[in-house]
């Protein structure tokens, strides 16, 4: 029975550890956060994700999985810690990845395999990770194996995608790749593709950059459509009928810990980036653009009160990391607007501003600004909301509300891209 030590019990590390544990491996999951370790050992999930709780219970009950604060000897080490964004320098902050790698050096033995799942800039495994591991006195390829298997599952559907998506494996050499492939074959139903370690690093960043640029294009289309008097949502829907066109949706900006930062990891050491940096600029500019729409709509009011519907970075999740809502709120406050927040997915205390009940957020408000396309927002009690508000206005940046219904309740509506 092979033993796997997974470093990092976050959004990727925990599900990965549990999938290994429920598919034939002995797994110890390591996290520096004692509260996480304690929770997980008591079968309490530290964050919401579909199916995660059942998997945790199954893994702990089978005695194939336990959590610990420190790494230990194992056959395989999987590093799955965050790579934050160093905003000031617009590059990857490798400190967690480095610390996690350092923490396994003294446990590294001949024939061990080390897998990095964390997202890193091209070349990081060869230039940064491997030299740290060689501090053990062992030599990569001769004594131990290294592979990069970047995680690519989408938050909100993580377990399904971890199992069903195709998987990229970039080994330091063919034996590293083969050994990593054998491991992931235990639970991955999608195809597993083997490539070089640097290519695997680049693929991951290219995927998220592609999505960022596609969204930037949609955002630019939205602004042009407004000038041209066209409804961009209808136009995109119809353009996407073309067999080779797939335009994403405009919105108030790109949030989350991946799409908004990975393009910078790709370009941090390159002199060739043009379109990638421009797309970042366009998407980062969207909260400002939305602010101008809202300001224009409220120009007749002295000190308007604005209610934000949705501060999660995307639909149907409670995650607010890098949410464009924060920039919008800061701009609105600077403008002298009173801001209140409602988000059915985000618990109060999990965001920089208080998250209120819907009634508390809308009473005496002048305008609702929809920033996240949560499913709930499709059908809301528009008459009741209108009755509680001071003036009936709504700005929809996601084209996700029932416009007819709101109009019937007497609301003035502005839609991004129309
Ligand atoms: N967004 C739009 N318009 C769209 C789609 C998304 O404005 O048409 C916005 C969302 O509202 C959100 C942001 O973009 O603010 C990012 O959301 P997302 O759903 O596109 O992506 P993430 O960040 O949740 O997950 C991405 C995924 N990458 C790709 O789809 C290429 C996921 O597969 C990766 O595993 C994840 O990044 C990651 O961890 O890298």
């Amino acid at each position: 029975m092979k033993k796997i030590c997974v470093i990092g019990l976050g959004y990727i590390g925990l599900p990965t550890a549990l999938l290994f544990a429920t598919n034939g491996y002995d797994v110890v999951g390591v996290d520096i956060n004692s509260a996480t370790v304690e929770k997980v050992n008591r079968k309490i999930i530290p964050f919401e994700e579909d199916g995660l709780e059942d998997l945790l219970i199954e893994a702990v009950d089978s005695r194939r999985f336990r959590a610990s604060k420190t790494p230990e000897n194992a056959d395989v080490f999987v590093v799955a810690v965050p790579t934050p964004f160093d905003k000031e320098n617009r590059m990857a902050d490798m400190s967690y990845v480095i610390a996690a790698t350092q923490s396994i050096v003294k446990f590294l033995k001949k024939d061990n395999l080390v897998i990095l799942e964390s997202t890193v800039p091209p070349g990081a495994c060869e230039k940064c990770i491997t030299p740290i591991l060689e501090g053990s006195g062992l030599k990569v390829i001769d004594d131990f194996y290294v592979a990069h298997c970047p995680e690519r599952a989408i938050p909100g559907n993580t377990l399904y995608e971890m199992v069903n998506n195709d998987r990229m494996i970039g080994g330091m050499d063919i034996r590293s790749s083969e050994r990593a492939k054998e491991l992931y074959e235990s639970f991955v139903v999608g195809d597993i593709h083997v490539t070089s370690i640097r290519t695997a690093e680049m693929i991951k960043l290219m995927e998220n950059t592609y999505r960022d640029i596609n969204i930037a294009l949609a955002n630019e289309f939205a602004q042009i459509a407004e000038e041209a008097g066209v409804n961009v949502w209808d136009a995109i829907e119809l353009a996407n009928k073309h067999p080779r066109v797939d335009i994403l949706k405009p919105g108030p900006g790109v949030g989350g810990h991946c799409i908004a930062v990975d393009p910078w990891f790709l370009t941090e050491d390159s002199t060739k980036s043009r379109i990638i940096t421009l797309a970042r600029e366009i998407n980062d500019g969207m909260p400002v653009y939305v602010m101008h729409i809202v300001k224009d709509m409220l120009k007749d009011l002295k000190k308007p009160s604005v209610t934000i519907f949705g501060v999660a970075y995307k639909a149907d999740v409670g995650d607010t990391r890098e949410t464009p809502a924060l920039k919008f709120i800061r701009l609105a406050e600077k403008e002298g607007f009173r801001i209140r927040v409602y988000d059915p997915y985000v618990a109060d205390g999990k965001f920089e501003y208080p998250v209120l009940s819907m009634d508390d957020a809308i009473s005496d408000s002048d305008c609702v600004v929809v920033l996240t396309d949560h499913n709930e927002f499709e059908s809301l009690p528009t008459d009741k909301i209108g009755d509680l508000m001071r003036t009936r206005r709504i700005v929809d940046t996601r084209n996700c509300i029932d416009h007819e219904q709101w109009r019937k309740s007497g609301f003035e509506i502005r839609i991004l891209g129309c």
Side-chain angles (χ1 to χ4, degrees):
M1 172 58 50
K2 274 206 175 129
K3 181 172 163 190
I4 306 178
C5 182
V6 177
I7 316 289
L9 292 177
Y11 294 89
I12 297 303
L14 180 58
T16 304
L18 299 178
L19 284 168
F20 280 131
T22 47
N23 285 282
Y25 293 97
D26 273 330
V27 180
V28 57
V30 177
D31 205 288
I32 49 169
N33 184 330
S34 332
T36 302
V37 169
E38 204 181 299
K39 267 191 183 166
V40 165
N41 278 331
R42 285 168 42 220
K43 297 186 263 189
I44 301 167
I45 44 170
F47 54 88
E48 282 296 327
E49 191 61 59
D50 254 11
L52 192 65
E53 188 169 18
D54 289 348
L55 202 65
L56 177 61
I57 293 168
E58 185 188 337
V60 174
D61 286 349
S62 70
R63 296 174 170 275
R64 284 275 164 81
F65 173 82
R66 70 194 153 78
S68 164
K69 274 206 71 177
T70 46
E72 44 192 79
N73 287 333
D75 301 293
V76 180
F77 295 90
V78 177
V79 174
V81 294
T83 320
F85 179 44
D86 170 358
K87 278 202 176 111
E88 204 177 321
N89 297 302
R90 288 187 166 172
M91 60 196 291
D93 170 357
M94 293 283 290
S95 55
Y96 293 130
V97 173
I98 290 171
T101 309
Q102 282 165 341
S103 77
I104 58 179
V105 170
K106 68 175 178 195
F107 301 100
L108 200 65
K109 298 263 176 330
K110 209 168 159 49
D111 282 336
N112 277 173
L113 166 67
V114 179
I115 295 175
L116 181 73
E117 284 223 10
S118 312
T119 306
V120 290
C125 286
E126 287 154 287
K127 290 185 277 191
C128 175
I129 306 304
T130 305
I132 295 173
L133 295 170
E134 287 185 330
S136 61
L138 299 171
K139 288 275 316 149
V140 71
I141 301 175
D142 292 347
D143 300 318
F144 68 96
Y145 306 97
V146 174
H148 180 47
C149 308
E151 60 79 13
R152 293 144 76 240
I154 198 142
N157 201 18
T158 301
L159 281 171
Y160 176 86
E161 289 210 348
M162 276 185 173
V163 172
N164 291 285
N165 285 4
D166 282 13
R167 190 94 201 190
M168 301 300 144
I169 294 195
M172 199 63 113
D173 68 331
I174 188 67
R175 278 184 308 165
S176 300
S177 297
E178 277 166 3
R179 291 200 50 191
K181 185 169 182 236
E182 191 194 322
L183 213 65
Y184 285 94
E185 272 169 352
S186 67
F187 69 81
V188 173
V189 172
D191 292 337
I192 298 181
H193 306 271
V194 168
T195 183
S196 74
I197 202 156
R198 213 174 264 224
T199 309
E201 290 166 335
M202 181 125 172
I203 291 169
K204 160 76 200 213
L205 299 172
M206 281 167 54
E207 290 166 351
N208 281 350
T209 302
Y210 161 79
R211 199 161 166 83
D212 196 43
I213 291 174
N214 194 334
I215 297 167
L217 183 63
N219 282 329
E220 190 157 306
F221 284 156
Q223 297 174 41
I224 293 171
E226 281 184 25
E227 287 178 349
V230 167
N231 179 322
V232 81
W233 304 90
D234 293 347
I236 288 176
E237 195 184 331
L238 293 173
N240 284 348
K241 303 276 181 209
H242 187 287
R244 284 175 296 281
V245 174
D246 189 10
I247 306 161
L248 287 169
K249 294 184 196 134
V254 168
H257 54 298
C258 303
I259 308 260
V261 303
D262 286 2
W264 295 120
F265 294 9
L266 187 57
T267 58
E268 66 175 40
D269 194 21
S270 168
T271 56
K272 303 293 179 204
S273 161
R274 302 283 180 275
I275 193 170
I276 299 173
T277 338
L278 183 59
R280 281 282 69 246
E281 214 176 278
I282 292 169
N283 289 335
D284 278 350
M286 288 313 290
V288 181
Y289 189 77
V290 171
M291 184 60 212
H292 281 262
I293 294 176
V294 175
K295 251 181 6 189
D296 185 56
M297 198 186 204
L298 301 178
K299 58 178 181 289
D300 58 311
L301 300 175
K302 267 238 153 55
K303 274 198 176 285
S305 176
V306 170
T307 305
I308 310 298
F309 272 20
V311 288
Y313 83 91
K314 68 172 184 178
D316 305 337
V317 299
D319 193 338
T320 60
R321 283 175 295 173
E322 308 289 330
T323 177
L326 193 58
K327 171 91 186 252
F328 176 82
I329 293 172
R330 297 247 155 94
L331 289 170
E333 280 195 331
K334 210 178 92 201
E335 207 59 41
F337 294 3
R338 175 183 181 209
I339 293 290
R340 278 167 300 164
V341 169
Y342 167 63
D343 191 313
Y345 283 83
V346 178
D348 189 25
K350 295 274 182 200
F351 184 58
E352 279 82 346
Y353 290 80
V355 181
L356 308 170
S357 69
M358 195 203 288
D359 284 9
D360 286 344
I362 56 177
S363 68
D364 288 329
S365 176
D366 294 301
C367 180
V368 171
V369 179
V370 182
L371 293 180
T372 309
D373 43 349
H374 291 316
N375 256 321
E376 274 89 336
F377 296 162
E378 272 174 38
S379 50
L380 287 167
T382 51
D383 284 337
K384 185 191 147 200
I385 292 174
D387 287 345
L388 287 169
M389 289 174 66
R390 190 159 54 192
T391 65
R392 298 183 183 213
R393 306 177 206 211
I394 185 159
V395 176
D396 181 6
T397 66
R398 298 278 193 175
N399 193 34
C400 66
I401 58 167
D402 183 343
H403 301 129
E404 259 333 286
Q405 181 70 36
W406 287 87
R407 269 191 200 104
K408 265 196 222 143
S409 298
F411 275 81
E412 185 192 336
I413 307 182
R414 280 289 306 268
I415 307 160
L416 173 70
C418 296

